[in-house]
Amino acid sequence: MTKRSIFAAILFSSVLILGACGAESEEGQSSDSNGSGGDKIPIEITWRGTGESDNIRRYLEGFEADFESDNPDIDVVLAPIMASEGDYFSKVALTMQSSETAPDIVSEDTFMLSSDANAGYLASLDEYVESWDDWDMFIENIKTGTTGEDGSVYGIPTTTDSRGIWYNKQVFADAGLPEDWQPESWEDVYAAGEAIKNSDSEAVPFSMNVAKANGEAVSMQTFEMLLYGTGETLYDSETQKWNVNGQGLVDSLEFVDEIMNQREIGPSLSIALNSSYGSVMTQDLLPNGGVGMVLDGNWNIGNYLEGGAAPLDNVDEILGFATFPTQNGEEPGFVTMAGGWSWAIPENAQNQEASWRVIEAMSSKESQADRAVVEGTLTVRKDSAEDSRYLERPLIEPATKALENAHFRPKNDLYPNVSIEIQNAVEAVASGSMTPEEAATSYKEAVTGIVGEENTY
Amino acid sequence: MENRNSMTDTSKRKKLSDNVKSSIFLSPAWILLLVFFLTPMVLTIIFSFTNLALTGAQAQNLRFIGFDNFIKMFNDVNLYNSIAKTLIFVLFSAILGQCFLGFLIAFLMKGKNATFRRIIGIAVIAAWVTPEVVVAFSWVAFLGDSGTLNSIITSISDIEAIAFLFEYPMVSVVVANIWRGTAFSMMAFQTALDDIPVEVEEAAIMDGATRWKIVWNITIPMVKGTITTNLMLVTLQTLGVFTLIYTMTGGGPGNDTMTLPVYMYQQAFVSYQLGYGTAISLIILTIGAIFSILYMKFLKVKV
């Protein structure tokens, strides 16, 4: 009897002790992270890390050194989240839910910003922006991308981008295509693709993002580039309704079908559906003549500059960048989607004042130009755009020109869900499991289910 | 009368104190079960009736939406597709693959030379102890365009490299899962087969039974309990396979390998609809329960 009760007592107390240990170590941890580095305030910056050739890390490391020598009271901590683009957003959303895990500064894609602001994850930056003269230097329509539905500013834009066709000049020469090439309709793209296919070149004629594994890149770099070139849009921001019946939807999917299945001028499925498609294509095949044309973002220039993943000595001689044509050459003859990233402060961040100081420094004229140069993106400050290093960057001209007919993604909480359906439709057509019509019908059903019958047209 | 009354009183009291004692002793186990098993399960059921979301305005105002998630589910073509894919995956990789193959290997190895048994055993178990992600990557490498299998095919024949993961995605993940999981069934059956007394089979041989008859009428009935337990464990395990499929095909191409766990992940963490995701997890739970009940009923075994 007594032995038994002693045993029970031990069991009980061990459970209690275990519980207490857990609580203690948690407390220990949080006090630790606050106190590390003596009196310095640690400011944790989170962005989507891409491993070895991380251009943002290269930029941030330079920034960190400068900032810390000017601001001895702040310790900038680089804390990238290594994840695919899709996973990055859910991981960030999860960390922002608690003050124990929230970073101090977070890199937000402008299309997620409004969703995350609506979810209450982000702090309003209105009071900081009001007394900040530099704010006027930011390009006006890009500011709207970081303004929430309630009219408050939730992020400071850092980069924007445009999309177009990268092409390899050697592959073009082998196929008898001009060195300065500019397609004027989708038909021109097909023609160039077939010329490469019929030439001696082994190169894949034309490539674009089609795999669900590549997430948002499929929606934005492929489908929306096509759809907005037909003159239709994904979402009517005035009536707040989604396009589910447009002929443009079918036409866009038909483009995918033509490239991948009908004319067979696309990459093999094992390249196209691979989650490492992006890096294989832009860092290996394109500079080495393994592919003729790649529909992708202008930021890939960052790969080919000094310090990038696949540096080239004279980018202009090897590669070209053409704006993407509208379907039948409708005015102004080219189209691009524009996106971009911004810095935001989570509502649960511990030292918002200090976070703002870091963002302010990152958003200075020089720092913005640094980032655009290192990363290969387009700057969002008018004065940074005049920086000589920026202007001298190869292929900057067509990339900037494309922005003249730039479209932005729908500012709607449901866009990420609709985007998934776009990816499903594109992949289904690319892999040949659905015809463009079938995929458009299934897209219509899925989107109607997401946004409700009354919000479609 | 008085005597009897006091008798029952004492036994009652004894019984009562026994109950109190046993509940005291069991309480740590109960508390652990309650905290780590029951709470998440109840939460899952509760959340499946909410609009729980990871981001957007919904994330800020969590509310009950009744059966909306389930109504949405019944109208969701992709969900039916996922259920079908899950059943195919479970049927071929768990029931026909792992259980049958595991039994076959164990049966063939019965009574064989110890060294032979050890070598085969280690080879099969090696796949099982390898982490799932590593197994998945090995298979991706093996089946890739310039992978081992295609190298062999192209070197001995004129056939062009086959993109197995894209042309035969379901077959690929089924084979990979069989390769990984068979060891478990094999070990379970080995133990059971070793426990069958040799005398029984000898007696049958004396009675003139053929080998098939012995297997069908003696061996299988004698390991029926193991078969049921093994079927159930393997089925439930396979129903939940996520890493292998997600790493090998990501549920694609299209929705060709979109089993329920992958679909659930997609809805919860890619579309940010956590509420809908939890509702899908209840479907997985239901399918698991149906399988378990069927096994118990058809094989008439008490577990």
Side-chain angles (χ1 to χ4, degrees), chain A residues 401-414:
Chain A
K401 183 183 172 226
L403 284 181
E404 287 167 23
N405 187 23
H407 296 269
F408 295 88
R409 285 168 291 184
K411 213 186 253 184
N412 183 298
D413 273 5
L414 292 171

Side-chain angles (χ1 to χ4, degrees), chain A residues 99-163:
Chain A
S99 57
E100 301 230 340
T101 52
D104 296 287
I105 296 176
V106 63
S107 175
E108 281 265 347
D109 195 323
T110 45
F111 90 98
M112 283 302 295
L113 190 111
S114 133
S115 271
D116 280 349
N118 274 339
Y121 293 150
L122 301 177
S124 162
L125 303 178
D126 285 347
E127 53 166 321
Y128 301 114
V129 171
E130 267 167 35
S131 53
W132 187 42
D133 297 336
D134 287 20
W135 190 228
D136 295 333
M137 294 311 298
F138 285 77
I139 297 166
E140 209 53 43
N141 75 345
I142 287 181
K143 283 186 194 174
T144 59
T146 58
T147 308
E149 281 182 86
D150 58 359
S152 284
V153 173
Y154 286 97
I156 304 301
T158 52
T159 62
T160 185
D161 43 42
S162 62
R163 287 138 185 77

Side-chain angles (χ1 to χ4, degrees), chain B:
Chain B
M1 280 292 267
E2 265 182 26
N3 209 1
R4 255 177 83 184
N5 257 345
S6 72
M7 272 275 283
T8 42
D9 254 21
T10 11
S11 73
K12 253 187 196 167
R13 211 171 297 141
K14 196 165 171 351
K15 218 175 180 179
L16 195 74
S17 77
D18 270 351
N19 279 343
V20 171
K21 258 191 275 170
S22 58
S23 44
I24 289 175
F25 287 126
L26 281 175
S27 56
W30 276 113
I31 292 170
L32 287 178
L33 270 179
L34 217 67
V35 174
F36 294 109
F37 184 71
L38 211 59
T39 323
M41 213 154 101
V42 171
L43 278 179
T44 305
I45 296 174
I46 294 174
F47 283 140
S48 69
F49 289 96
T50 65
N51 66 344
L52 187 68
L54 202 53
T55 181
Q58 288 182 359
Q60 212 168 19
N61 52 65
L62 178 68
R63 58 187 171 81
F64 281 95
I65 53 168
F67 284 93
D68 280 8
N69 280 329
F70 295 91
I71 294 169
K72 183 178 161 193
M73 219 148 65
F74 286 115
N75 295 320
D76 185 350
V77 256
N78 289 328
L79 184 84
Y80 292 117
N81 168 64
S82 285
I83 293 177
K85 297 289 188 249
T86 310
L87 293 179
I88 292 172
F89 183 68
V90 169
L91 180 70
F92 286 97
S93 83
I95 303 173
L96 296 180
Q98 292 182 16
C99 285
F100 181 74
L101 197 64
F103 182 83
L104 197 70
I105 297 176
F107 183 74
L108 293 176
M109 274 165 63
K110 189 172 155 37
K112 292 288 182 317
N113 166 310
T115 325
F116 174 77
R117 280 182 68 144
R118 205 168 300 139
I119 293 170
I120 298 291
I122 288 172
V124 178
I125 292 167
W128 193 57
V129 295
T130 313
E132 215 173 341
V133 177
V134 181
V135 170
F137 273 118
S138 309
W139 275 92
V140 169
F142 181 66
L143 297 174
D145 270 4
S146 46
T148 320
L149 187 57
N150 272 318
S151 303
I152 296 173
I153 292 176
T154 46
S155 68
I156 59 166
S157 73
D158 289 339
I159 304 169
E160 261 183 62
I162 304 162
F164 289 100
L165 287 171
F166 302 102
E167 284 175 44
Y168 310 101
M170 186 51 101
V171 177
S172 300
V173 291
V174 163
V175 170
N177 194 45
I178 293 175
W179 184 81
R180 173 178 149 76
T182 303
F184 181 82
S185 303
M186 184 196 80
M187 286 190 289
F189 287 127
Q190 252 177 353
T191 330
L193 290 174
D194 287 347
D195 283 348
I196 299 177
V198 197
E199 294 80 12
V200 185
E201 284 178 15
E202 278 172 358
I205 295 171
M206 296 295 279
D207 289 342
T210 60
R211 203 149 180 210
W212 280 117
K213 273 194 174 153
I214 297 176
V215 173
W216 192 247
N217 294 322
I218 295 174
T219 316
I220 290 183
M222 287 191 84
V223 296
K224 207 162 80 172
T226 313
I227 294 179
T228 318
T229 322
N230 185 55
L231 267 176
M232 207 180 300
L233 287 176
V234 169
T235 305
L236 295 181
Q237 216 169 16
T238 309
L239 264 180
V241 168
F242 171 78
T243 318
L244 189 81
I245 300 181
Y246 190 72
T247 320
M248 283 179 71
T249 64
N255 286 325
D256 288 358
T257 50
M258 188 68 77
T259 57
L260 284 169
V262 183
Y263 189 57
M264 177 180 92
Y265 170 82
Q266 215 196 29
Q267 290 299 316
F269 292 104
V270 184
S271 299
Y272 313 117
Q273 301 300 313
L274 293 176
Y276 191 50
T278 47
I280 296 171
S281 75
L282 290 184
I283 296 280
I284 305 180
L285 194 79
T286 315
I287 295 180
I290 293 173
F291 266 112
S292 309
I293 292 167
L294 287 180
Y295 289 150
M296 285 196 274
K297 207 156 173 136
F298 280 109
L299 293 163
K300 298 194 181 76
V301 179
K302 279 183 195 160
V303 180

Side-chain angles (χ1 to χ4, degrees), chain A residues 3-40:
Chain A
K3 263 189 188 172
R4 279 192 187 178
S5 37
I6 289 170
F7 181 65
I10 291 172
L11 257 183
F12 259 123
S13 47
S14 64
V15 168
L16 287 178
I17 290 168
L18 275 176
C21 278
E24 219 168 278
S25 64
E26 252 170 51
E27 273 168 36
Q29 240 175 13
S30 64
S31 70
D32 210 42
S33 66
N34 279 338
S36 74
D39 299 331
K40 286 189 172 186

Side-chain angles (χ1 to χ4, degrees), chain A residues 281-311:
Chain A
M281 204 43 85
T282 57
Q283 294 169 12
D284 178 21
L285 295 182
L286 182 64
N288 296 322
V291 61
M293 297 173 276
V294 181
L295 173 52
D296 214 313
N298 74 293
W299 59 82
N300 282 306
I301 190 73
N303 288 323
Y304 314 124
L305 300 178
E306 205 189 322

